[in-house]
Amino acid sequence: MVHFVGAGPGGADLITVRGAKLLKEADVIIYAGSLVNPDVLQYRNENSVVYDSAKMTLEEVIEVMKQAHQEKKDTVRLHTGDKCLYGAVREQMDLLDELGIPYDDTPGVSSFCGAASALQAEYTLPGVSQSVIITRMPGKTPVPEREMVREFAKHGSTMVLFLSSSLLEELQKELLMGAYTEDTPAAIVYKATWPEEKVFACTVGTLAETAKRENIYKTALIVVGDILGSEYDRSLLYHPHFTTEFRKAKK
Ligand code: SAH
């Protein structure tokens, strides 16, 4: 059996209880060494064999899983954050299906949640934005034309950009083609929840110069939108004049 497990965004104690238990029981662990904090491996048992997938191809990863399955061993495939975002995981599941190797999936805390914690931000504020766009700039992996940042930028919603911190000059141009201005608040969150976490508040107009000054070009998320500003409406849910299923409005 293969267990896909989300390792969380960095901080070793941010793996789920279920994820830590699966690590403890695993005979074989394949982890994404380029992004998963190696401290997460403290939960494994000392007899487990550990592979770093950063140095492996998809075929080599599957071969390790196949071998383990033949020896009736349990494998944990540890992905950074949650595997549902930029996880290159579907291709693994499809090959496991072909081989008839069963797998299950334990979610993890994605880095976009870790970044919100680092910023002490709420991505959805009444009167400001009620949506979060998660996207990226094109890199080695292309982005469909209809999903270019300039298209999404038309909405002016909260936007969280993965895999883009080395492309901030281009990103700024794309953002400014939409509803954001040079002064729209933005932030660069480096290694959210890791011990070396850093947060740089800036604006859309100063994203590139901030990253250059601070020497940030990887393992960072870019957060954009007026939720990082100071204006918003209070919620109706907790408003005294508002009746809910659980509470009557106060006169
Ligand atoms: N599945 C992961 C994302 C993998 S893509 C998740 O759910 O978080 C890798 C990109 O994620 C990095 O280039 C960076 O943009 C972002 N990232 C991952 N961990 C991060 C962290 N702790 N802080 C900031 N960005 C992070």
Side-chain angles (χ1 to χ4, degrees):
M1 177 101 187
V2 175
H3 304 282
F4 289 95
V5 174
D13 52 354
L14 288 177
I15 190 169
T16 64
V17 174
R18 189 192 295 179
K21 182 167 176 281
L22 287 167
L23 269 184
K24 183 111 248 159
E25 292 164 356
D27 306 299
V28 175
I29 296 165
I30 310 172
Y31 81 113
S34 54
L35 274 166
V36 172
N37 185 348
D39 277 356
V40 176
L41 297 175
Q42 66 183 268
Y43 302 108
R44 74 187 182 96
N45 75 67
E46 56 194 27
N47 299 321
S48 57
V49 183
V50 179
Y51 296 86
D52 177 358
S53 64
K55 300 173 188 131
M56 299 162 78
T57 62
L58 169 63
E59 288 72 14
E60 286 165 347
V61 167
I62 297 295
E63 189 52 40
V64 170
M65 292 172 171
K66 194 170 142 192
Q67 191 74 35
H69 182 68
Q70 280 163 0
E71 294 168 15
K72 304 215 174 334
K73 290 178 174 167
D74 264 351
T75 301
V76 161
R77 175 69 169 112
L78 201 55
H79 279 273
T80 176
D82 186 282
K83 74 170 190 12
C84 73
L85 290 172
Y86 310 110
V89 77
R90 170 71 187 267
E91 59 196 24
Q92 297 174 62
M93 296 191 295
D94 284 347
L95 288 174
L96 291 176
D97 282 341
E98 273 176 34
L99 293 167
I101 299 175
Y103 52 85
D104 63 13
D105 182 358
T106 299
V109 177
S110 176
S111 60
F112 82 91
C113 302
S117 300
L119 290 163
Q120 299 196 316
E122 182 174 347
Y123 289 148
T124 52
L125 284 176
V128 183
S129 180
Q130 289 291 291
S131 314
V132 185
I133 294 171
I134 289 174
T135 188
R136 61 169 296 171
M137 291 288 284
K140 282 196 199 86
T141 306
V143 170
E145 194 61 30
R146 64 181 186 280
E147 292 182 15
M148 294 297 279
V149 169
R150 60 178 169 271
E151 295 296 328
F152 289 137
K154 290 175 185 163
H155 299 281
S157 321
T158 306
M159 196 183 286
V160 182
L161 293 123
F162 284 71
L163 297 158
S164 302
S165 51
S166 63
L167 301 163
L168 295 187
E169 275 174 27
E170 297 88 327
L171 173 65
Q172 271 180 232
K173 285 186 202 141
E174 293 270 324
L175 291 169
L176 291 171
M177 286 183 203
Y180 310 108
T181 69
E182 296 262 349
D183 296 328
T184 302
I188 302 171
V189 185
Y190 172 73
K191 288 201 151 185
T193 79
W194 287 66
E196 57 268 46
E197 167 187 293
K198 283 187 196 145
V199 173
F200 303 104
C202 59
T203 63
V204 166
T206 60
L207 271 168
E209 68 180 68
T210 305
K212 196 166 171 204
R213 186 185 66 228
E214 305 294 348
N215 198 24
I216 304 292
Y217 57 94
K218 62 177 198 174
T219 332
L221 286 172
I222 313 303
V223 179
V224 178
D226 286 322
I227 57 110
L228 296 172
S230 52
E231 306 282 315
Y232 64 95
D233 300 333
R234 70 170 283 179
S235 71
L236 292 177
L237 186 62
Y238 293 105
H239 199 290
H241 296 164
F242 192 70
T243 298
T244 74
E245 196 185 334
F246 304 98
R247 177 176 65 74
K248 276 234 158 355
K250 293 195 167 60
K251 283 271 151 13

